[in-house]
Amino acid sequence: MASTIRVRATSSGDTTEVQALIQHPMDSGFVKDAKGELIPPHFIQEVTFEHDGKKIFVADWGPAVSKDPYLKFAFKGGKKGDELKISWTDNKGSSDQTTAKIQ
Amino acid sequence: MNNEIDKTRRLILQGAAVVALAGIGVRFGLTQALAAAANDKYPEEAFKQKSGDDAIKSLYGKTAETSDKVKLDAPEIAENGAVVPISVSSSLPDVTSISILVTENPFTLAASYKIPEGTMASVSNRLKMAKTSNVIAIVEAGGKLYSASKEVKVTVGGCGG
C-alpha cells in the first residue's frame, strides 16, 4: 500500500527544511454525514520526525487540524542523503510510517 | 534553576512510584506509571479544554505574556474555515514548544509542537476554524510562555455540517 505520508526534505547547507503532507480524514466529531448522523472523531494525535535516532520534531494534534494535514518546519544538523523517519498515530490506534532522504 | 529541581524531584517521585508498584506486583499500575513518566505523552486533557486559558494551563501549568517576538502569520479573512493556513515563528532563544489555539472552536487547542534543540522555532500548518475567532500562538522559551494573537474572519465555517 502506498504510504499516507509524503515528505520533502531539502538541505540548504546549514539547515534542512521539511514539508510533510499526510492523507487522513481528520474528522472532528462535529460534522454530520448525508443522513444527518454525526461522523465520530477520527484524527491524528501525534506525528514524530526522527533524524539520526533523535526526535527533531513532534506534533500533537487535536481535531482542529485540517483534513490531509500539512506541516512545515526546519532543523539544523541534517545533510543530503540522510534519512528521516516519520510516523503518526491517530485516536483510533491506526498508524503509519515512512522514511525520506534529505535532498 | 527551580525548574531543574522540580524535574529531579518529579523523576525521584516517579522512580519511587514505579518501585512501589513493582514491589506489590501491580502490573497494570506499573505500565500506567511508566506511560506517565514518558516525557512526550499526548496531552489528552489539554485538547479537551473549552477555554484558551484552561488549555494553556493544562498544557504548560503557567500563563503567557504577550510578546512582539512571537510572530503569528494568519490571513485577515479566511474564505474557507476548513483550511486556514497559519504559521508561527519566534526570534526568542531556547524555544522548546509552540502551540496554536483557536478561541472560538469547540476545543480551543488546535496543535502543539515540541521543538527540540537544533530545530528552528518556526512551524506552518493548516487549521479548521468554526467561525470568526482569535488565533493565539504560544511560544515556550527558556521555561517561560509568550504569546501573540490575531483575529481571523471566517466566511464559511469549517467545523459544522
Side-chain angles (χ1 to χ4, degrees):
Chain A
M1 198 190 102
S3 174
T4 56
I5 312 170
R6 290 212 329 245
V7 182
R8 178 178 294 160
T10 27
S11 162
S12 53
D14 201 21
T15 61
T16 303
E17 187 185 82
V18 183
Q19 284 177 286
L21 197 58
I22 305 172
Q23 273 181 353
H24 199 284
M26 298 299 284
D27 290 318
S28 65
F30 297 101
V31 180
K32 288 176 181 150
D33 64 13
K35 282 187 225 151
E37 284 166 33
L38 276 181
I39 303 167
H42 184 204
F43 57 94
I44 294 176
Q45 291 188 315
E46 198 159 73
V47 193
T48 307
F49 294 77
E50 281 178 55
H51 169 254
D52 203 13
K54 209 183 98 198
K55 282 182 187 168
I56 49 161
F57 193 77
V58 179
D60 287 327
W61 282 345
V65 172
S66 299
K67 180 187 173 185
D68 297 334
Y70 165 82
L71 252 185
K72 186 170 102 177
F73 71 95
F75 72 101
K76 282 183 183 168
K79 47 183 195 299
K80 278 186 203 304
D82 281 4
E83 226 166 49
L84 288 183
K85 202 175 129 194
I86 302 99
S87 61
W88 61 257
T89 50
D90 70 20
N91 65 323
K92 290 183 174 177
S94 304
S95 63
D96 195 11
Q97 60 170 30
T98 193
T99 52
K101 276 213 164 66
I102 298 176
Q103 290 169 336
Chain B
M1 201 56 207
N2 262 339
N3 240 350
E4 275 310 305
I5 295 167
D6 268 349
K7 227 184 267 170
T8 325
R9 201 180 60 182
R10 232 174 293 146
L11 274 178
I12 293 168
L13 285 175
Q14 276 163 0
V18 168
V19 169
L21 286 168
I24 47 174
V26 188
R27 267 211 189 158
F28 183 58
L30 176 64
T31 42
Q32 270 192 335
L34 283 176
N39 210 3
D40 50 357
K41 198 173 164 271
Y42 179 72
E44 190 105 42
E45 278 309 308
F47 277 106
K48 284 185 191 151
Q49 301 305 319
K50 292 192 163 60
S51 95
D53 288 346
D54 288 347
I56 296 167
K57 215 181 280 169
S58 167
L59 196 60
Y60 296 107
K62 50 197 161 196
T63 49
E65 56 176 275
T66 317
S67 165
D68 56 4
K69 286 181 174 140
V70 176
K71 197 165 159 268
L72 169 63
D73 255 341
E76 295 278 332
I77 299 172
E79 277 177 27
N80 181 2
V83 188
V84 185
I86 291 169
S87 302
V88 179
S89 62
S90 173
S91 54
L92 290 158
D94 303 322
V95 171
T96 47
S97 151
I98 293 177
S99 295
I100 305 165
L101 296 94
V102 182
T103 52
E104 294 297 326
N105 270 3
F107 303 117
T108 47
L109 181 62
S112 179
Y113 299 98
K114 294 184 186 87
I115 314 285
E117 213 187 320
T119 299
M120 312 307 189
S122 170
V123 61
S124 303
N125 61 10
R126 300 191 297 215
L127 302 178
K128 287 181 258 190
M129 290 182 64
K131 54 184 167 196
T132 297
S133 168
N134 266 329
V135 175
I136 305 175
I138 302 283
V139 169
E140 186 184 35
K144 280 193 173 167
L145 291 188
Y146 304 92
S147 72
S149 71
K150 182 179 178 178
E151 192 191 51
V152 176
K153 290 192 172 65
V154 174
T155 30
V156 182
C159 270

